[in-house]
């Protein structure tokens, strides 16, 4: 059956159609738009719209009534309460006099950031790049001051630093162990296929199951390792009442769950490294460390940067393990920002809950963008040079 060509008056093309173009040709030309439109529509309906709608909660005081929710606009009061109001200790921590170590640390960080900005200006960075560096520097200085006023001064942390602790320390440990396991399983050793499957198993368990499993394992009185705790004289030790022990055990459970993800991705990257490059370096007498530093690492760097970025984004949203293992305790020692927002929501404090969620969004965007632009991209350019 022949295609019908749309006719029009001489010199005038139908709306959306080129002169002499059929409807079939027009549909073919715009097929990409039609194919992607359903997915974009779903994203707009179920992701972007709720994200922007929560702004209404973040800038409002919300109360329940017989007819539904009542909103009273308070603008930025919910955000200000996290920094200078009744939620300050919960979100930022408790401040007293800053110690000498805190002042020294703050001055060192301030000097390093000023030098970094000065080098960027001297190198002729664009205004957009300078604005991004100013935002990153402001965030880094704020976190440094918070760190100096709490941990280095012997004061209590808030949920913001708890979250950064999980992200920085937890992701670093997971990346190092995952890279080591991937490198081990990429070598010609016997039984490596068995270990590949074994290392991957924790990733198939739900976070809920991981949380309850570690809570049971770490029970020093009734858990399966109770004889071991007794042997090392820790049978009466309540780790859940020790702030640092609780933090490290949460990271232990989180690492057990997420190391397989890093392992499997880096293993695929390592197996795609050209073997002839490695063999040529071995013939030239290069050591294993030199081969890894000069050949293997530059090859897997883009994949390593991507998997680290994905893992950091996930770590910012940690909520299952601290909720199940410690319920955020002792006190708020293991409470993340996501768990903080969840507790506020459970107490029907919708405004503060949405405000904490948006502060987490801002923190995640700034930290992950800074990591990608000033660490990942910089190293990729060096590797390509």
């Amino acid at each position: 059956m022949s295609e019908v060509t749309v006719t029009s008056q001489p010199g005038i093309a139908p709306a959306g159609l080129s002169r002499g173009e059929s409807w079939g040709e027009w549909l073919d030309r715009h097929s990409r738009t039609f194919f992607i439109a359903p997915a974009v529509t779903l994203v707009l309906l179920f992701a972007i719209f709720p994200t922007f709608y929560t702004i209404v909660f973040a800038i409002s005081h919300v109360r329940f009534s017989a007819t539904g929710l009542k909103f009273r606009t308070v603008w930025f009061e919910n955000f200000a309460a996290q920094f200078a109001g009744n939620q300050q200790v919960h979100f930022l921590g408790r401040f007293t006099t800053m110690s000498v170590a805190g002042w020294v640390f703050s001055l060192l960080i301030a000097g390093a950031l000023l030098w970094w900005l000065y080098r960027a200006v001297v190198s002729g960075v664009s205004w957009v790049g300078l604005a991004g560096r100013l935002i990153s520097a402001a965030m880094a200085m704020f976190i440094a001051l918070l760190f100096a006023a709490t941990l280095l001064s012997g004061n209590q942390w808030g949920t913001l630093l708890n979250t950064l602790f999980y992200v920085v320390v937890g992701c670093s440990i997971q990346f190092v162990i995952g890279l080591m396991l991937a490198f081990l399983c990429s070598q010609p050793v016997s039984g490596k296929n068995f270990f590949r499957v074994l290392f991957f198993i924790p990733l198939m368990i739900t976070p809920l199951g991981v949380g309850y499993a570690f809570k049971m394992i770490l029970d020093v009185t009734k858990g399966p390792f109770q004889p071991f705790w007794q042997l090392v004289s820790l049978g009466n030790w309540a780790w859940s009442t020790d702030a640092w022990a609780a933090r490290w055990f949460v990271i232990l459970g989180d690492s057990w769950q997420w190391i397989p993800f890093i392992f499997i991705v880096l293993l695929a990257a390592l197996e795609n490294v050209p073997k002839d490059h490695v063999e040529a370096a071995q013939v030239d007498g290069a050591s294993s460390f030199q081969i890894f530093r000069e050949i293997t690492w530059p090859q897997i760097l883009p994949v390593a940067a991507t998997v680290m970025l994905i893992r950091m984004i996930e770590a910012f949203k940690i909520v299952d393990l601290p909720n199940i293992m410690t319920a955020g305790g002792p006190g708020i020692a293991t409470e993340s920002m996501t768990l903080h927002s969840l507790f506020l929501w459970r107490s029907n404090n919708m405004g503060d809950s949405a405000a904490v969620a948006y502060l987490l969004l801002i923190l995640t965007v700034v930290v992950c963008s800074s990591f990608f632009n000033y660490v990942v991209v910089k190293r990729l350019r060096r590797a390509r040079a």
Side-chain angles (χ1 to χ4, degrees):
M1 192 174 194
S2 60
E3 260 183 344
V4 178
T5 304
V6 178
T7 59
S8 60
Q9 296 181 4
I12 302 177
L17 295 178
S18 302
R19 182 179 300 178
E21 184 181 31
S22 66
W23 282 106
E25 293 170 338
W26 183 84
L27 288 172
D28 184 64
R29 185 159 56 90
H30 293 84
S31 60
R32 290 179 297 180
T33 303
F34 292 127
F35 279 121
I36 202 173
V40 172
T41 303
L42 288 174
V43 169
L44 290 174
L45 288 176
F46 296 105
I48 298 178
F49 172 73
T51 300
F52 283 99
Y53 184 65
T54 52
I55 294 177
V56 178
F57 286 86
I59 63 173
S60 304
H61 175 72
V62 186
R63 63 181 181 87
F64 291 87
S65 66
T67 57
L69 296 176
K70 298 293 185 180
F71 294 87
R72 179 171 61 85
T73 303
V74 295
W75 298 108
F76 296 104
E77 286 186 15
N78 293 328
F79 293 93
Q82 312 304 318
F83 294 93
N86 54 2
Q87 290 288 328
Q88 182 192 53
V89 173
H90 200 155
F91 182 66
L92 297 180
R94 190 179 303 278
F95 306 133
T96 55
T97 305
M98 189 181 295
S99 65
V100 175
W103 281 113
V104 171
F105 177 79
S106 301
L107 291 174
L108 289 175
I109 296 297
L113 291 173
L114 289 174
W115 174 249
W116 179 61
L117 292 173
Y118 170 75
R119 289 187 59 186
V121 172
V122 171
S123 63
V125 68
S126 64
W127 286 106
V128 176
L130 181 61
R133 282 169 170 78
L134 287 173
I135 294 173
S136 299
M139 179 65 76
M141 194 66 234
F142 170 74
I143 294 173
L145 287 172
L146 191 60
F147 183 80
T150 53
L151 180 65
L152 295 183
S153 300
N155 296 319
Q156 175 187 322
W157 282 14
T159 56
L160 190 150
L161 283 184
N162 281 335
T163 304
L164 288 174
F165 179 75
Y166 294 140
V167 172
V168 177
V169 178
C171 291
S172 299
I173 293 173
Q174 293 161 26
F175 180 80
V176 171
I177 297 177
L179 179 60
M180 293 172 60
L181 293 176
F183 186 76
L184 177 64
C185 286
S186 67
Q187 303 303 307
V189 295
S190 59
K192 63 179 183 180
N193 290 331
F194 168 76
F195 287 106
R196 288 180 182 182
V197 176
L198 183 66
F199 294 153
F200 191 69
I201 289 176
L203 192 60
M204 296 184 284
I205 303 176
T206 63
L208 191 68
V210 173
Y212 280 114
F214 270 84
K215 188 174 182 179
M216 177 188 65
I217 290 172
L218 296 172
D219 190 337
V220 298
T221 59
K222 300 177 182 178
F225 290 99
Q226 187 267 343
F228 169 77
W229 298 117
Q230 292 288 348
L231 182 64
V232 295
S233 302
L234 291 177
N236 297 321
W237 178 49
W239 62 268
S240 58
T241 62
D242 187 318
W244 279 106
R247 292 187 186 109
W248 283 111
F249 280 136
V250 169
I251 284 185
L252 176 65
D254 190 52
S255 299
W256 186 81
Q257 181 185 11
W258 283 104
I259 284 174
F261 169 70
I262 299 174
F263 158 75
I264 202 68
V265 175
L266 292 182
L267 178 61
L270 286 168
E271 291 187 336
N272 284 320
V273 174
K275 302 298 182 184
D276 52 344
H277 294 180
V278 177
E279 292 171 356
Q282 290 173 342
V283 170
D284 290 338
S287 64
S288 299
F289 176 75
Q290 289 174 326
I291 293 173
F292 179 82
R293 184 186 62 186
E294 303 296 338
I295 297 175
T296 306
W297 179 245
Q299 294 282 343
I300 69 170
L301 180 58
V303 177
T306 303
V307 73
M308 191 64 175
L309 190 63
I310 295 172
R311 182 64 199 103
M312 286 174 62
I313 294 172
E314 286 296 322
F316 272 111
K317 299 183 292 183
I318 185 173
V319 63
D320 306 89
L321 292 181
N323 187 25
I324 295 169
M325 293 177 64
T326 62
I332 60 170
T334 58
E335 187 175 325
S336 64
M337 289 178 65
T338 309
L339 189 56
H340 182 184
S341 179
L342 175 64
F343 286 161
L344 289 170
W345 177 77
R346 285 179 178 173
S347 62
N348 294 331
N349 193 345
M350 303 296 186
D352 282 351
S353 177
V356 172
Y358 267 95
L359 290 172
L360 175 62
L361 174 63
I362 295 170
L363 179 67
T364 304
V365 169
V366 174
V367 172
C368 292
S369 298
S370 301
F371 171 78
F372 182 78
N373 287 306
Y374 310 131
V375 177
V376 176
V377 174
K378 183 178 180 180
R379 292 187 176 274
L380 287 175
R381 288 173 180 171
R382 286 182 180 177
R384 292 172 182 172

